[in-house]
Structure formats: C-alpha cells, structure tokens
C-alpha cells in the first residue's frame, strides 16, 4: 500500500466513476496525489463535494465534480461533456461505479437483476463508448481501467446479477482492447477481492465477522482501497504501456484456491 506522491500523472486528465466513497474515492486521491487533474462522478453532489475538498491541488487545473447516474445514457453524455470541457480533455477513464443486491436466485426480481446490469455492465459500455468517441476524434491514446471483481471468475451464489455483470465486463474489456489496440487505446481490468469499503461495513465493523472473512483469504487480511488504486495507477500509466485486455487480480491470493494450501486431494 503506497501513500507516496509524485508527478507521474502531471498534465493528465482522469475521470473516475463512483468516486464519492470506497475504491473510487481512493482512486481520486491516488491520481491527484500523483499530479493528475480529476473529474469525480457519483450520484450525490454533496458527498462528492466532501471528497473534492480533501483532494491535493495540482498544477494542471481545478478538480471537477461531475455528478450523475452512470446507468443512464443522457446522464453519461453530460458527465463526459462537462469533464472534457472543464478539464480541457480526457486521458484516463476509471470505470469504478458498481453495486450488488443479495437474493436467493429463485427469488431474484427482474428489476434487481436489470438494475445491477444497468450500472455494472451497461454503464461501463456507455462510458467506454463516450471516451472512445472523444479519443478517436481528438487523436488521444486513452487508457481505460474497469473495476471488476474476483467474481468475474469465482461464482458468487446469492449474487447472480453481480456475478453475471462482472463476467460480462471482463469480455467488454477484452473485446474493446482488441478492437482499439492498433490505435494505441488500452483497456484493462482490476479485479479486487474482499476490500475494506463502506459497502462491506457489515463485516468490517464486526470483529468476529472480520476474522471469519480474513480466514478465507490466503494473505489472511482484506485489502485496502488504496491497494486497488495502486493497481489502477499501474494499468493507467506508461509502466503498463504494452499491456491491454488483461485482468490484474488484487485479492491477497483469493483466486489461488486457498483450500489447496494444505494438501487434501491426494
Ligand atoms: P461503494 O459502495 O463503497 O462505492 C460505490 C460507488 O459507486 C459510490 O460512489 C456510489 O455512489 C457509486 N455508484 C453506484 N451506483 C452508481 C450509479 N448508478 N451512478 C454513479 N455512481 C454510482 O463500493 P466499493 O466497494 O468502493 O466498490 C467500487 C467498485 O469495486 C464496484 O464496481 C465493486 O463491484 C468493485 N468491487 C468492490 C469490492 C469490495 O470488496 N469492496 C470487491 C470487488 C469489486
């Protein structure tokens, strides 16, 4: 987990969706700390204002709030228009907004399933499309990092919409990566394991449940939002200039099948 600052993103303009708390907020802090001008999105302007006040100032210009729902086409157009106009361009898109609704799969409602898909899949597709339209016209070699989940790989019973949505974004990223590789536009995915964010307050704030969650993770602890932001930074930077269409799992070893740490099968 790094708390260092640098000028590695100086002059770069970054739009981050779902930046009012959790991983998105950590990403905003990360990019601003490393010199980028950021546009922070979320649904509630007030929460974004609180985040904005805490962001380090940068030489490239003021950070900007672009509130709006990323599941709505009209709202996405406005988010991108304001981001690009105010910052004078866009270099990096972080598709982070996402949510989940638990339910036994036999009881899942169509509204809940479609609601999750609308934000986690359609929202990512529409944001990528908006960025591409700008980058192709402006001749920018943009970079996209999508925040997926270990559940793009590991099934998550009782979270059917969430599992389906994260599997889908993996293929959106791989398809777009191939389609635009020759034009220097890169798409990659970060797939977090269990991370300490407000979405997980139920187990983060309960010592017994926290211990239970940690026991399933090979590194025996959940991750911090800043550790996901570090990985996003790598995939958005020149240090990953030859990487596209890939998923970087940031999960303390969760996708290594922890049950096999001790031999039980032969
Ligand atoms: P969070 O609930 O703390 O934050 C989610 C952010 O997305 C908030 O700012 C919220 O306002 C925003 N958001 C939700 N719906 C939106 C919409 N329609 N339009 C605009 N903004 C919207 O969640 P988090 O834990 O920080 O998760 C962020 C991302 O990381 C999600 O995509 C999630 O699936 C993924 N993820 C999280 C974990 C974890 O353990 N926390 C693990 C794997 C993946």
């Amino acid at each position: 987990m790094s708390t260092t600052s640098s000028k590695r993103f100086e002059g770069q303009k970054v739009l981050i969706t779902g930046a009012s708390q959790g991983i998105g907020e950590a990403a905003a802090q990360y990019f601003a700390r490393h010199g980028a001008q950021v546009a922070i999105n979320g649904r509630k302007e007030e929460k974004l204002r609180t985040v904005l006040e805490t962001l380090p100032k940068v030489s490239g210009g003021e950070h900007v709030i672009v509130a709006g729902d990323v599941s709505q086409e009209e709202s996405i157009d406005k988010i991108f228009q304001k981001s690009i106009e105010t910052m004078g361009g866009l270099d990096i898109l972080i598709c982070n907004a996402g949510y989940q609704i638990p339910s036994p799969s036999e009881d899942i409602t169509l509204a809940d399933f479609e609601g999750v898909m609308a934000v986690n899949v359609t929202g990512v597709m529409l944001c990528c499309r908006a960025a591409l339209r700008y980058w192709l016209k402006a001749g920018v070699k943009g970079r996209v990092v999508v925040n997926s989940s270990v559940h793009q790989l590991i099934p998550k019973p009782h979270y059917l919409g969430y599992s389906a949505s994260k599997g889908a974004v993996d293929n959106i990223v791989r398809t777009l990566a191939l389609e635009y590789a020759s034009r220097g536009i890169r798409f990659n995915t970060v797939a977090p394991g269990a991370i300490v964010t407000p979405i997980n307050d139920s187990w983060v704030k309960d010592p017994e449940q926290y211990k239970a969650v940690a026991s399933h993770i090979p590194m025996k602890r959940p991750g911090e939002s800043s550790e996901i932001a570090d990985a996003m930074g790598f995939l958005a930077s020149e240090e990953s200039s030859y990487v596209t269409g890939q998923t970087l799992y940031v999960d303390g070893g969760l996708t290594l099948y922890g049950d096999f740490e001790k031999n039980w099968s032969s």
Side-chain angles (χ1 to χ4, degrees):
M1 178 190 342
S2 81
T3 49
T4 55
S5 57
S6 76
K7 293 187 171 173
R8 66 199 287 236
F9 287 103
E10 197 171 41
Q12 301 275 297
K13 290 139 193 347
V14 187
L15 167 59
I16 302 154
T17 69
S20 64
Q21 62 177 38
I23 297 169
E25 179 182 0
Q29 295 288 354
Y30 172 94
F31 283 104
R33 228 171 49 239
H34 291 282
Q37 188 181 5
V38 298
I40 50 173
N41 158 263
R43 281 163 305 175
K44 297 195 180 115
E45 179 116 19
E46 212 177 295
K47 279 180 99 178
L48 291 168
R49 231 176 284 131
T50 313
V51 173
L52 190 80
E53 280 165 17
T54 66
L55 292 176
K57 303 233 176 300
V58 299
S59 59
E62 302 274 312
H63 304 303
V64 53
I65 289 173
V66 285
D69 185 337
V70 295
S71 67
Q72 304 296 320
E73 193 171 18
E74 231 175 73
S75 147
I76 287 177
D77 289 345
K78 287 186 189 141
I79 290 165
F80 275 78
Q81 200 181 0
K82 184 173 175 193
S83 300
I84 292 165
E85 266 176 32
T86 318
M87 296 195 292
L90 181 71
D91 301 289
I92 295 164
L93 166 65
I94 307 292
C95 290
N96 168 77
Y99 80 113
Q100 57 186 14
I101 303 175
S103 162
S105 294
E106 72 270 22
D107 293 332
I108 194 169
T109 67
L110 183 59
D112 282 355
F113 186 82
E114 288 185 342
V116 168
M117 297 300 268
V119 176
N120 297 11
V121 182
T122 312
V124 169
M125 180 277 288
L126 289 171
C127 285
C128 289
R129 187 184 73 176
L132 277 166
R133 286 179 175 170
Y134 167 71
W135 287 338
L136 292 171
K137 215 156 129 192
V140 174
K141 294 184 175 170
R143 284 134 281 156
V144 175
V145 181
V146 174
N147 195 359
S148 176
S149 165
V150 289
H151 295 297
Q152 74 174 39
L153 182 71
I154 304 173
K156 191 174 186 186
H158 291 246
Y159 290 85
L160 190 59
Y162 189 73
S163 294
S165 72
K166 296 303 187 179
V169 291
D170 176 35
N171 246 327
I172 287 180
V173 164
R174 284 161 46 79
T175 302
L176 292 174
L178 182 56
E179 193 168 342
Y180 295 96
S182 64
R183 278 167 276 189
I185 301 173
R186 298 191 292 115
F187 295 82
N188 288 291
T189 304
V190 165
I195 308 302
V196 176
T197 70
I199 211 180
N200 289 328
D201 271 354
S202 61
W203 59 260
V204 169
K205 294 194 167 156
D206 176 330
E208 281 310 305
Q209 281 199 55
Y210 182 97
K211 243 167 72 187
V213 169
S215 73
H216 291 290
I217 303 166
M219 286 181 73
K220 302 299 174 212
R221 67 166 178 90
E224 298 295 331
S225 293
S226 62
E227 293 177 296
I228 307 303
D230 288 342
M232 289 171 166
F234 167 69
L235 290 172
S237 76
E238 277 309 296
E239 285 154 27
S240 63
S241 55
Y242 205 47
V243 180
T244 196
Q246 303 303 310
T247 295
L248 178 52
Y249 288 94
V250 187
D251 63 359
L254 211 53
T255 42
L256 297 175
Y257 301 95
D259 266 5
F260 284 88
E261 192 180 349
K262 293 192 179 71
N263 191 22
W264 54 265
S265 61
S266 55

